[in-house]
């Protein structure tokens, strides 16, 4: 079955060619590919700490490859007039970048910018923000080094007040180093590979999320950590650029009315209670806006009141939201795009995937060894989609990390938690996936990492080892098995371990049934096409695909009824390169599902879980989307709606 409309290609490319930039034809495009334009991602990129004064630096930059020795000095005397135009944000290897340059290791990216006149006031500071650069970034402003950052998934910023001219043009240079999986390197990189193969994909190099500036006062709010529980208790920590000062906090309810005001010192933990808040859950994703003032600085944020925990229900260890057992069912969500690779073409495109999942009745996504832009997690908060957040893995196989590489992995793991622990939708952290980069001789680092996670963030669960090398750490016993589930059951297979009743049983990956499509909807890279037959199971037509889906979900339902299964992750949201086992094809144009069948089978999972507990009624996956509905049609013009 096909979804959405047909696309008229090349319209924007003809316009953008005049500007010197145009989309390079990717191996596969999407409906959004030629709609991106030269002002991509115009949205404010940081919804949990938002200010009114900001300037987006996305758009057309200049790019050239570089040598390692160039990192120490910006090429101020070099004209980039003949360098390639590149779209920021994008992966240099992607079609959307306009260069589609494969396996870049060192690169320069540069642009000019001006500072708004009203920002050039005494006592104001100018912050230069990067949402993500893969992998290392050395930043120069007007030839002076502003700072250095390592880690391809994390946001960072520099105070560039003393480097900029407020009455003229400034030059910004970013030197990028990205070794990916080169020998001698083992770093958090997820599924990126310089030589992709089936479940490993084309790498991403460069500035792949938004770049922007903001004006702040001398003493300003640098960071907010917020948690709010089912009893209305709010805990907040605020990092500022100055010393101890007084904060004014307002919690805003419906129609913009303040329902709670609180004053506190910036020094230490801030605690207060909101009476009888509407709780956040997948069924009712209620959010409250926040306003925080510190002297001349005022930011807005939001939170949701919810408590995630584990506990025994009728003798079985269960995950709890707001004190009640919930069965969580979702997809392995890899977040790759054929035109943008790591970077979705737009927020609309990114959210479309989530809308499809929510409309089918799913209540969760497992964000698989990748970290998304902040607007992804905001959308999950708003829609009521739970998120299992994986740490991006190191190299799989025999290339285990040395002491320095392990320390760097752990440093970046802590950054992931620090930067994402205020999103209500995230309810579980994953340390290791299927043993990739996991040390298993001498000691088991997941025990220490789990303890550190609980210390840093006691409000969530930890899936220490999703699949394979499970030594007993964390809140979950997580089984991976294709295609059939083995969830909390008295049977298991090689590489898995027997169910541990002291922990929550989850089927961390299963399904994976595939269905090949015509070349029109495939990633047109010969190696990827040749490896399609490595898919766990190939069904020759959609009738067989949907029959197998029904059979596997029925099997899962029976394991919920008989055993200790508390959640499951179906592989996967979309096809990716040589993998053809998504609900959606890689270009998002075909949905393989018989919608009514799958919605009924998914609801049956929740009903089975409810039947095991008798605790409460009415768990559903389809809530919180208002009037959103998506239309699909079969090849024989039989229409359906969901």
């Amino acid at each position: 079955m096909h979804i959405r409309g047909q696309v008229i290609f090349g319209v924007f490319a003809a316009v953008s060619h005049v500007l010197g930039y145009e989309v390079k034809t990717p191996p596969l495009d999407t409906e959004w590919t030629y709609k991106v334009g030269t002002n991509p991602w115009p949205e404010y990129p940081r919804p949990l700490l938002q200010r009114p004064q900001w300037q987006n630096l996305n758009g057309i930059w200049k790019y050239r490859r570089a040598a390692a020795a160039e990192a120490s000095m910006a090429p101020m005397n070099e004209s980039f007039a003949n360098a390639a135009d590149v779209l920021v944000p994008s992966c240099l290897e992607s079609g959307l970048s306009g260069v589609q340059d494969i396996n870049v290791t060192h690169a320069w990216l540069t642009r000019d910018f001006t500072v708004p006149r009203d920002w050039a006031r005494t006592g104001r500071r100018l912050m230069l923000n990067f949402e993500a650069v893969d992998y290392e970034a050395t930043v120069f402003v007007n030839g002076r080094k502003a700072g250095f950052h390592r880690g391809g998934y994390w946001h960072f910023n520099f105070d560039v007040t003393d480097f900029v001219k407020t009455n003229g043009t400034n030059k910004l240079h970013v030197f990028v180093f990205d070794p990916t999986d080169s020998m001698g390197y083992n770093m958090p990189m997820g599924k990126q590979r310089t030589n992709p193969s089936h479940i490993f994909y084309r790498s991403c190099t460069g500035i792949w999320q938004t770049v922007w500036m903001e004006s702040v006062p001398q003493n300003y709010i640098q960071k907010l950590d917020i948690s709010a529980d089912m009893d209305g208790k709010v805990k907040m920590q605020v990092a500022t650029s100055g010393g101890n000062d007084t904060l004014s906090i307002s919690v805003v309810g419906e129609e913009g009315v303040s329902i709670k005001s609180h004053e506190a010192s910036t020094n230490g933990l801030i605690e207060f209670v909101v009476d009888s808040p509407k709780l956040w859950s997948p069924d009712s994703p209620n959010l409250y806006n926040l306003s925080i003032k510190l002297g001349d600085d005022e930011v807005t944020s939001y939170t949701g009141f919810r408590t995630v925990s584990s506990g025994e229900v009728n003798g079985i260890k269960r995950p709890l939201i707001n004190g009640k057992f919930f069965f969580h069912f979702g997809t392995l969500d890899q977040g790759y795009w054929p035109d943008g690779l790591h970077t979705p073409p737009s927020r609309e495109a990114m959210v479309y995937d989530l809308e499809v999942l929510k409309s089918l009745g799913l209540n969760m996504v497992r964000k698989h060894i990748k970290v998304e832009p902040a607007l992804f997690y905001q959308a999950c908060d708003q829609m009521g989609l739970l998120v299992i957040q994986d740490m991006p893995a190191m190299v799989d196989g025999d290339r285990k990390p040395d002491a320095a590489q392990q320390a760097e992995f752990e440093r970046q793991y802590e950054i992931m938690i620090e930067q994402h622990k205020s999103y209500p939708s995230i309810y579980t952290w994953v340390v290791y996936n299927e043993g990739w980069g996991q040390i298993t001789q001498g000691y088991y680092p997941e025990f220490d990492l789990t303890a550190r996670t609980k210390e840093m963030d006691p409000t969530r669960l930890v899936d220490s080892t999703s699949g394979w090398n499970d030594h007993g750490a964390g809140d979950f016993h997580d089984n991976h098995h294709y295609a059939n589930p083995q969830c909390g059951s008295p049977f298991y297979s090689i590489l898995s371990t027997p169910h541990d009743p002291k922990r929550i049983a989850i089927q961390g990956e299963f399904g994976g049934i595939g269905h090949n499509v015509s070349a029109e909807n495939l990633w047109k890279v010969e190696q990827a096409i040749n490896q399609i037959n490595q898919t766990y199971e190939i069904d020759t037509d959609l009738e067989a695909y949907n029959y197998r889906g029904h059979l596997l979900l029925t099997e899962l339902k029976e394991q919920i009824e008989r055993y200790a299964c508390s959640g499951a992750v179906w592989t996967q949201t979309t096809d990716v390169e040589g993998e053809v086992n998504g609900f959606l094809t890689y270009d998002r144009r075909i949905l393989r599902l018989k919608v009514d069948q799958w919605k009924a089978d998914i609801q049956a999972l929740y009903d089975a879980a409810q039947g095991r507990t008798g605790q409460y009624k009415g768990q559903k996956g389809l809530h919180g989307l208002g009037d959103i509905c998506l239309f699909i049609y079969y090849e024989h013009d039989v229409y359906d709606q969901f």
Side-chain angles (χ1 to χ4, degrees), residues 399-433:
R399 201 194 305 183
K400 297 301 183 184
D402 60 26
Q405 292 165 345
Q406 178 66 21
E408 180 62 20
F409 173 83
E410 295 183 11
R411 182 188 74 87
Q412 292 193 38
Y413 175 74
E414 292 184 4
I415 291 174
M416 179 184 73
I417 296 169
E418 285 292 342
Q419 293 191 356
H420 295 85
K421 64 183 181 181
S422 293
Y423 294 106
S425 56
I426 297 177
Y427 74 108
T428 295
W429 305 111
V430 174
V431 183
Y432 288 111
N433 173 72

Side-chain angles (χ1 to χ4, degrees), residues 411-471:
R411 182 188 74 87
Q412 292 193 38
Y413 175 74
E414 292 184 4
I415 291 174
M416 179 184 73
I417 296 169
E418 285 292 342
Q419 293 191 356
H420 295 85
K421 64 183 181 181
S422 293
Y423 294 106
S425 56
I426 297 177
Y427 74 108
T428 295
W429 305 111
V430 174
V431 183
Y432 288 111
N433 173 72
E434 293 186 349
W436 298 359
Q438 181 184 354
I439 296 170
T440 57
Q441 293 183 346
Y443 76 110
Y444 303 138
E446 65 267 23
F447 282 95
D448 179 60
L449 285 167
T450 299
R452 271 194 271 171
T453 306
K454 294 287 189 178
E455 183 178 350
M456 294 173 65
D457 179 18
T459 71
R460 289 178 175 84
L461 304 174
V462 183
D463 190 348
S464 306
T465 52
S466 185
W468 305 169
N469 302 325
D470 185 346
H471 304 109

Side-chain angles (χ1 to χ4, degrees), residues 199 218 256 439 456 518 568:
I199 66 168
Q218 193 76 30
I439 296 170
M456 294 173 65
S518 67

Side-chain angles (χ1 to χ4, degrees), residues 91 103 150 284 313 330 407 419 453 509 567:
C91 303
N103 293 339
R150 176 180 292 122
S284 54
V313 179
Q419 293 191 356
T453 306
E509 295 180 28

Side-chain angles (χ1 to χ4, degrees), residues 47-335:
L48 286 176
L49 183 59
Q50 189 162 344
R51 290 186 178 88
Q53 283 194 319
W54 75 291
Q55 180 176 324
N56 197 322
L57 295 182
N58 292 343
I60 306 305
W61 292 41
K62 290 290 186 179
Y63 155 75
R64 71 162 172 83
R65 285 195 174 216
E70 298 182 51
S72 60
M73 185 179 299
M76 290 294 291
N77 297 325
E78 175 185 341
S79 172
F80 276 75
N82 296 322
D85 287 330
V86 66
L87 188 70
V88 171
S90 66
C91 303
L92 295 174
E93 297 88 341
S94 72
L96 285 180
S97 71
V99 296
Q100 204 163 232
D101 201 355
I102 307 299
N103 293 339
V104 181
T105 303
H106 302 89
W108 279 110
L109 294 100
T110 183
R111 66 158 291 163
D112 294 344
F113 69 93
T114 58
V115 178
R117 289 184 179 181
D118 61 340
W119 289 14
R121 301 198 304 270
T122 302
R124 303 290 294 184
R125 309 300 296 177
L126 184 67
M127 305 304 298
L128 177 61
N129 302 281
F130 294 82
E131 291 302 294
V133 179
D134 197 346
Y135 173 68
E136 292 181 359
T138 309
V139 179
F140 300 85
V141 177
N142 294 326
R144 299 171 61 187
K145 183 177 177 179
F148 169 83
H149 180 266
R150 176 180 292 122
Y153 300 92
W154 326 118
H155 62 76
F156 60 96
N157 61 19
F158 304 116
D159 185 334
V160 296
T161 310
D162 298 334
F163 303 152
V164 300
K165 296 178 289 187
T166 58
N167 58 353
T169 300
N170 298 275
K171 289 193 174 295
L172 171 60
H173 290 85
V174 180
F175 183 84
V176 172
F177 171 55
D178 184 18
T180 311
D181 59 346
S182 302
M183 289 305 297
Y185 294 92
N186 198 352
M187 60 195 200
M189 63 179 174
K191 288 199 170 186
Q192 302 180 65
R193 294 297 183 270
T194 53
N195 182 23
S197 60
H198 195 52
I199 66 168
F200 300 106
Y201 318 129
R202 182 175 289 183
S203 58
C204 174
T205 299
I207 304 170
W208 69 278
Q209 291 187 32
T210 292
V211 186
W212 54 292
M213 296 189 303
E214 62 182 338
S215 174
V216 297
Q218 193 76 30
N219 188 17
Y220 67 97
I221 297 169
Q222 294 177 316
K223 186 175 184 290
L224 288 174
D225 291 333
I226 306 165
S227 67
D229 67 19
M230 61 183 286
D231 298 318
K233 182 182 291 185
V234 178
K235 294 184 178 181
M236 186 182 294
Q237 288 191 306
V238 182
T240 69
S241 61
N244 189 20
D245 208 339
T246 300
L247 287 163
S248 296
I249 303 164
S250 180
V251 181
V252 181
E254 297 177 343
E255 300 179 355
V257 176
S258 176
I259 61 171
K260 179 72 177 184
S261 296
H262 184 77
E263 288 198 353
S265 168
T266 57
N267 184 22
L269 179 66
I270 300 167
E271 295 184 274
F272 59 90
V273 175
V274 173
D275 294 331
S276 303
K278 293 182 178 179
L279 302 186
W280 187 97
S281 74
D283 288 350
S284 54
N286 298 299
L287 296 172
Y288 287 81
N289 291 323
L290 300 170
S291 174
I292 302 101
K293 293 182 180 180
L294 173 71
D296 294 330
D297 194 22
E298 181 174 3
V299 301
T300 56
S301 187
Y302 69 89
T303 193
F305 290 85
R306 58 99 178 106
T307 297
V308 175
S309 60
S310 67
E312 283 199 4
V313 179
N314 293 343
I316 299 175
K317 204 63 174 288
R318 300 292 195 184
L320 309 176
I321 285 188
N322 303 326
K324 298 176 180 178
F325 167 49
F326 67 100
F327 187 86
H328 44 287
F329 181 72
T331 52
L332 198 76
D333 194 71
Q334 306 214 58

